[in-house]
Amino acid sequence: MCGIVGYTGVHEASPVLVAGLRRLEYRGYDSAGVAIVSEGRVVVRKRAGRVRTLEEALDQEPAAGSCGISHTRWATHGPANDRNAHPHMGGRAGAGAVAVVHNGVIENHATLRAELTADGFTFLSQTDTEVIAHLIARELGDGDGLFQAVQRALPQLEGTYGLAVISARCPGQVIGARLGSPLVIGLGEGEHFLASDALAIAPHTAKVAYLQDGEVVRLGPDDFEIRHRERGSITPRIDRIDWKPDAVELGGHAHYMLKEIHEQPETVHDACRGRLRHAEATAHFGGLNMTPRQLRRVRRVVFAACGTSWHAALVGEYLIERLAHLPVEVEYASEFRYRNAPLDDRTLVFVLSQSGETADTLGALRESKRQGHPTLAIVNTVGSTIAREATGGIFLHCGPEVGVASTKAFTAQVAVLTLLAIHLGRLRHLSFTDGLAAIEAIESIPRALGDVLAKSEPAIRAAAERIAPAKSVLYLGRDLHFPVALEGALKLKEISYIHAEGYPTAEMKHGPIALVDRETPCVFVAPRGVLHAKTLSNVEEVRARHGTIIAVGTEGDESLESISDIFLPIPDVPEIVQPLLAVVPLQLLAYQVALLRGCDIDKPRNLAKSVTVE
Ligand code: F6R
């Protein structure tokens, strides 16, 4: 949440900062702003609304200079308006003033505000961030440099922050600091960058260093230094970004969400690549950092995650119980971290996260580690905090996901969890024949995904027309498809703002069936499987009450098609891999409904992609 970009070098800062913000706009789009050191003072331009509004302001009133910071906001304290937009200035106007951009939450802001006000500082915004700017300005005083002033100010803050700071007193310097909110440094020739996410700086350099909690960095055009609040001077590890900058271009698609839906044949393939062992009828992971013997000792698995990642984990529960006969619990990370969940040394804990930065999931990881459990992560973003802090894990390899509504990360997570279930199963009782069949099933998925994407459009449009006017939609699925129903409902809510509920199909008769009428469409996720006949009866129950039925089913399933108003077919594949296909029509359906309703698909209201606050 909130995107930060900083630049110091030989080029004009403003275009670099604004282009960086455009790439980070998925982190929040309530307001955007830049601050640039220009002819001995700090110039600020900031506007409520999107980055394009800021660009218009900069066209009218340019800000020249080669050192600056910028921010795109997801509002926490104070509504989205020009005044609350970052950067915030601290101190008295003039050469001593500092400008700050911030991602995170300062929990003791009210106390600090009172103290600073008594000390003569004037507050112009309702944000928690403005206290940071004044604190740093006070520390800067007439004394030494900005780097030292920031280091003196930080211990006074309680909460989380990723910060970028500049001052006209120290032209050419950008100071960054991190505690709980991500920051990465980009290393160029005669220029350095700072950002919340490597996406922002990928067009300029592939060489990056991730800041750790408690670290403060001073960037100059030609050098940089990092200090840790306890450990002193730090030599960082330099990493290389392993994806191309054009991975985050739209590539001819109208929206990132659509682009990412269409990438799924490739991303599921990439998630499985190099992990299938036909000769042993199993899957293999390089990074679990656990021996087969240790994995065989496991008696219980706990998954902690949020949102779509939580839904993927729920598919994992069904798969692991089915293939490995291990009990699995799926926890909301935000609950798990504060609950006294009993874990013992035969419980294996996994956290799942696309971004690797979700604050609640990171909290769950830290809580589990604090209790002394090795804690593994299933994560997409290499270099993210969760990836770095986990004791081992599995990368999704599905490339940067920019669309705020997660799509390709879900299928990559489910693919990886299917492989994990096979792996854990083969360490127990899963036979060679069943293991091999499972591997062959998942190998067939990329092509089958291609078929779904190529063929489903007309039926999905028809279904979208039925759903677009609805006030509420029920999504129903059972067994492996219950989590798919939850995910379908979440996609619709997020981007079209229609109320939707996911429910286990057979639970419907215990309450939600009261909602069924001519105006409430029901989306059944019902590919052929062991419980199919029972699902057909549930569909009939809705039909008898005049509900509109949209069904995702197996190609050629006339029994389901004949009782559905709209039938969305998927290829006939073994049950354990059906969720990978069944979710795709639901992603496309949510997309088409949002399009019909004129919603802003890649920037849904109130949401941001990487939820780095609690
Ligand atoms: C839904 C969505 C969110 C995320 C959730 C967890 O489309 O994007 O529900 O799934 O915020 O995010 P990660 O996986 O990055 O931890």
Side-chain angles (χ1 to χ4, degrees), residues 212-216 226-234:
Q212 314 285 336
D213 276 351
E215 290 181 356
V216 188
I226 301 177
R227 293 190 70 80
H228 186 275
R229 63 181 172 198
E230 281 142 23
R231 297 197 286 275
S233 185
I234 297 285

Side-chain angles (χ1 to χ4, degrees), residues 201-249:
I201 50 187
H204 306 286
T205 178
K207 268 168 76 179
V208 297
Y210 293 92
L211 275 197
Q212 314 285 336
D213 276 351
E215 290 181 356
V216 188
V217 61
R218 180 190 61 77
L219 299 173
D222 299 310
D223 66 341
F224 71 92
E225 60 177 304
I226 301 177
R227 293 190 70 80
H228 186 275
R229 63 181 172 198
E230 281 142 23
R231 297 197 286 275
S233 185
I234 297 285
T235 307
R237 202 183 90 178
I238 309 295
D239 286 307
R240 286 196 79 79
I241 302 173
D242 66 350
W243 36 265
K244 298 194 179 75
D246 66 5
V248 291
E249 304 301 336

Side-chain angles (χ1 to χ4, degrees), residues 72-88:
T72 177
R73 178 171 188 239
W74 186 85
T76 59
H77 295 63
N81 56 32
D82 287 358
R83 207 165 248 240
N84 290 330
H86 297 215
H88 291 285

Side-chain angles (χ1 to χ4, degrees), residues 306-309 353-355 358 404-406 490-491 494 609 611:
C306 306
T308 288
S309 295
S353 175
Q354 185 287 126
S355 61
T358 301
V404 170
S406 181
L490 179 64
K491 291 289 89 93
E494 282 184 299
K609 185 141 190 80
V611 186

